[in-house]
Every structure is written in structure tokens, then in C-alpha cells.
Amino acid sequence: DTAVSQTPKYLVTQMGNDKSIKCEQNLGHDTMYWYKQDSKKFLKIMFSYNNKELIINETVPNRFSPKSPDKAHLNLHINSLELGDSAVYFCASSLPGGSGYYGYTFGSGTRLTVV
Amino acid sequence: DAKTTQPPSMDCAEGRAANLPCNHSTISGNEYVYWYRQIHSQGPQYIIHGLKNNETNEMASLIITEDRKSSTLILPHATLRDTAVYYCIVSSAGGTSYGKLTFGQGTILTVHP
């Protein structure tokens, strides 16, 4: 019954590796997002997709590449991981424009640790 | 999106009402006020949102001043499980920002027994 599910929940990897985080939502939402929460607990938007189309692309290194195979999935691939990429990554979904009674629905997060 | 100002922390006794203030003096006419909370290590959770009128749902009430420059989130009977960081966010529901939520530092609410 999980509405927005992310895998894996924890990811520990070495610098220079390439890794992916997967996100799936079963809410029928058209819009999906990736947010990053750093060690100071600030939540910052990275990307937003609406119906598989990239809508928001904040100032994110091009080592980060989102991919949306369909509107229920938004994966995040990270190349050449760096120490500064260590953070908690949250996936979220919403009706178009973030509207709707329930606003955004967030996943439980993926804690990425780069060593 | 308009910026918001919240106190960094607040305390509340269990069973009492928690009133969390938020200033958003630069809010524009098409921007909504959203409240989310983040319980330790979990993803943010939507609480409530409003445009002009006061709103109430099963979780909380939202009081927006007539000039819309400030709002208050009310948890009527706070419990220990309400201890969390509460974020007040102003955002337009559409347009080029396409519902982008910009999170600030929020208010750390601690509910005491």
C-alpha cells in the first residue's frame, strides 16, 4: 500500500562509483520530484517531471541524470559519486502543479553515503 | 516564490494546542500557503494548505490573516508524536514553477509530556 516507494533505503558506496535510486508511486499522480536533504537538513528540489517530461531542473551537476520511463516512475542515476553527494534523497509526487487536497506525497528517503 | 519566516523552535505541553506562526509578507495573489512537517528521518508529510480562507482538516487548522501576510498552524491537541520540524511554504500551484516547493529551515516543535 506504500504510496511513494524508494529503493534502496540505504546506499553506501565508494567515490567514483555510479549508482541509481529508484522511485515508484501508485497514486496516479502526473508529477514527480527529486529532493536532496543535506547534513544541515535543508531540503532542496533537484528535478521535477510531469508525465515523463522534465519540467524543473535546478542547478544540479550533470553527473545527476533523472529518468522517467513512465509517469509512475522517476529514477535518479548518479555518475562518478563524490563525497559531497552524501545526503538523503527524497522522491515525491503530486497532481500537476503540486495542487490537490494532499499536496505532495514524499517517499521515506534514500540515505546515500559516499566513502 | 515568496519567502517565509518561522521561529526556529517552539515547545508545547502534551494535550495543549500548538500554535505555529509564519510570516510571508511578500506573498503574491496566486500563491498558496502550505504546511508540511518532517518527523525525524522520515519524508516530509503534507498537513494543510490554503489561499485566503481559514482551513481545517483532521490534522490541523490553518488561520490566514486578512492581508495574507502571515498565518498560524494550529495543532489542537498536541501529542508526543507531533514532535517534528514544521515547514511553512508559499508556492503557486502552477505556472513555470510547476508546484515547486522551496523549504526553509522550519520550526522545530517539541511536545513535552
Side-chain angles (χ1 to χ4, degrees):
Chain A
D1 288 326
T2 304
V4 179
S5 59
Q6 296 178 227
T7 54
K9 189 170 176 64
Y10 300 96
L11 183 54
V12 180
T13 188
Q14 291 186 326
M15 283 175 54
N17 283 351
D18 303 339
K19 290 293 179 184
S20 292
I21 306 172
K22 295 185 177 181
C23 179
E24 175 181 6
Q25 54 95 4
N26 62 4
L27 297 165
H29 288 164
D30 290 312
T31 310
M32 296 186 71
Y33 312 81
W34 278 110
Y35 275 77
K36 177 181 179 181
Q37 188 166 40
D38 60 24
S39 58
K40 294 184 178 179
K41 302 298 184 183
F42 284 111
L43 269 160
K44 295 181 181 178
I45 191 167
M46 301 173 69
F47 302 103
S48 170
Y49 270 73
N50 182 64
N51 207 7
K52 302 193 297 177
E53 180 182 350
L54 182 65
I55 300 296
I56 295 174
N57 185 350
E58 294 291 291
T59 307
V60 177
N62 57 15
R63 298 182 294 103
F64 290 79
S65 53
K67 285 190 172 50
S68 182
D70 55 62
K71 71 175 190 178
H73 295 84
L74 180 60
N75 304 323
L76 184 65
H77 188 75
I78 314 170
N79 289 327
S80 303
L81 278 155
E82 300 177 357
L83 294 176
D85 298 331
S86 296
V88 181
Y89 292 85
F90 288 101
C91 177
S93 72
S94 74
L95 291 172
S99 62
Y101 185 73
Y102 296 106
Y104 278 36
T105 302
F106 281 82
S108 56
T110 296
R111 183 174 294 276
L112 171 66
T113 304
V114 182
V115 298
Chain B
D1 292 334
K3 187 176 178 180
T4 62
T5 304
Q6 299 178 251
S9 63
M10 293 184 66
D11 289 339
C12 178
E14 190 177 19
R16 305 298 291 267
N19 298 301
L20 291 90
C22 179
N23 287 323
H24 31 79
S25 58
T26 59
I27 192 170
S28 60
N30 67 341
E31 290 182 316
Y32 289 75
V33 179
Y34 291 86
W35 283 84
Y36 283 76
R37 73 180 182 183
Q38 187 174 24
I39 296 171
H40 179 63
S41 297
Q42 298 181 19
Q45 176 190 23
Y46 167 85
I47 301 173
I48 199 167
H49 76 283
L51 183 63
K52 296 180 185 177
N53 300 322
N54 299 336
E55 302 287 347
T56 296
N57 62 21
E58 65 277 5
M59 289 183 68
S61 294
L62 174 61
I63 308 298
I64 302 174
T65 58
E66 195 168 340
D67 63 8
R68 302 212 320 129
K69 292 185 177 182
S70 66
S71 60
T72 301
L73 178 74
I74 301 173
L75 307 179
H77 305 287
T79 70
L80 298 179
R81 287 180 293 182
D82 292 323
T83 293
V85 180
Y86 286 77
Y87 298 99
C88 169
I89 302 163
V90 173
S91 177
S92 58
T96 55
S97 67
Y98 220 84
K100 181 175 79 171
L101 297 179
T102 301
F103 287 80
Q105 288 188 296
T107 296
I108 300 172
L109 175 68
T110 304
V111 180
H112 297 287

